[in-house]
Amino acid sequence: MSIKEDIVLHIGAPKCGSSSLQATLSQQPDFQSRTGQRFSYVAAHHRGGLIAGDDITKDARKSVFGYTSSPDASPNQPNPWMEQMPGHLRKIVEDGRTPILSAEGWINRAKQFAEARFLEKENLSAHAVVFVRPPVEWLNSAWWQWGVWSDVTLDRFVRANIESARWNALAHVWSQVPGVERVSVRLASSDAVSSFYDILDAEPPALANSNSGIPTSLLYFMTRNREFRENAHTPQVEFIAARQLNWKEPTPWVLREDLVAYALHHLYPANRNLMGRMSPADRTAVDKDPKWWDYEYYKARTLVDPDTYNQPPALQDLAKAMIDRLQSCDCALPAELIAEVEGWSKGVDVTCADKSIADLLRRLCKLDQAQRG
């Protein structure tokens, strides 16, 4: 597929491969398609400036998140960058390049783009790209991203956020924004990075994957020690832990069968309509994927037991992984701290373990900061 529009807008959805895509684009912001079309990944500065080229890469390397992206288009406060950015984009287009912008929260901001006349001001046309995943799995991941850090029950969170997983409606609203000529909907379940570059008819660069997870035991540690995760919008320590520990573990499952049934029933018509916006290959994949439709599929999921991750074996595994990482980077550690963790195999009080894990996590954050310069 070639891009005929002036600019490309990656608008989300959240928890659908955005971090990996933004990290990849940040590491190599200027590239060409297989047919020679020039692309430039750029980001708006929240005060109105433009970040591009080497500055994108430098900014990403220093960022705790490992990428550079554009700011949200907040509906509750001024967005000066929306006034200035169209002019910057027009200059890039006139230079013979196709600018790419990305912000995962923009999927919910079609109204703000329309009201700001973001594309109309400079007579720009846009191709909007949306990545989606099975809504039930998305709701489970969203709980760990936002819900668990908020003063809200799981039931209330699911019911309050179910409309955020109505991907078809959100894509339709974006298709009505003046200047948006095309909205591509792709699956994030396989490889969002490769899929995005396929839309551009470009070869994806061979770069490191930035989509590692963190131990479930660390998630529960942070629910007990909120200095490391104050609220739903402060995930910095999670990004550090994911980068440093490179942990591979599925997102802990929290959705009861009644919530799964509610989400599947509520979103069934929308998901069927969504298929009409997909490529034939993605349409077939969704139609055959039980994660989009099948209540019985989710009955096999086991609800996470928090107590499992508060026990000495899980706490010791977490602490040892942090110690191994710190020592591999030549970080000096007190001998008594290492010996204490070794002794946890005989049992340890959670409060005592948390104190040592907090010490190790602070050291891990300090290491990460030094590595980022």
Side-chain angles (χ1 to χ4, degrees), residues 258-273:
D258 61 306
L259 293 176
V260 170
Y262 166 74
L264 289 174
H265 174 76
H266 191 81
L267 294 172
Y268 182 88
N271 289 338
R272 283 296 174 191
N273 290 332

Side-chain angles (χ1 to χ4, degrees), residues 71-148:
D72 191 13
S74 174
N76 302 316
Q77 60 188 29
N79 297 293
W81 65 269
M82 297 191 80
E83 294 293 324
Q84 300 181 29
M85 197 63 180
H88 294 308
L89 296 176
R90 171 50 65 188
K91 290 179 181 179
I92 294 173
V93 171
E94 290 177 352
D95 186 48
R97 293 175 288 149
T98 302
I100 302 168
L101 294 92
S102 174
E104 66 176 15
W106 285 355
I107 192 171
N108 298 303
R109 302 293 186 242
K111 180 180 179 182
Q112 282 67 42
F113 274 78
E115 291 179 346
R117 302 182 68 250
F118 185 82
L119 298 170
E120 292 176 278
K121 287 177 182 176
E122 294 290 341
N123 193 31
L124 294 167
S125 60
H127 184 150
V129 180
V130 182
F131 285 96
V132 300
R133 59 190 289 200
V136 172
E137 293 203 333
W138 180 84
L139 285 165
N140 186 75
S141 293
W143 167 254
W144 289 105
Q145 180 69 21
W146 303 293
V148 72

Side-chain angles (χ1 to χ4, degrees), residues 26-27 29-30 41 51-61 68:
S26 297
Q27 291 177 65
D30 296 305
Y41 178 59
I51 310 173
D54 290 342
D55 289 337
I56 283 264
T57 305
K58 293 176 183 177
D59 186 76
R61 287 174 180 167
T68 304

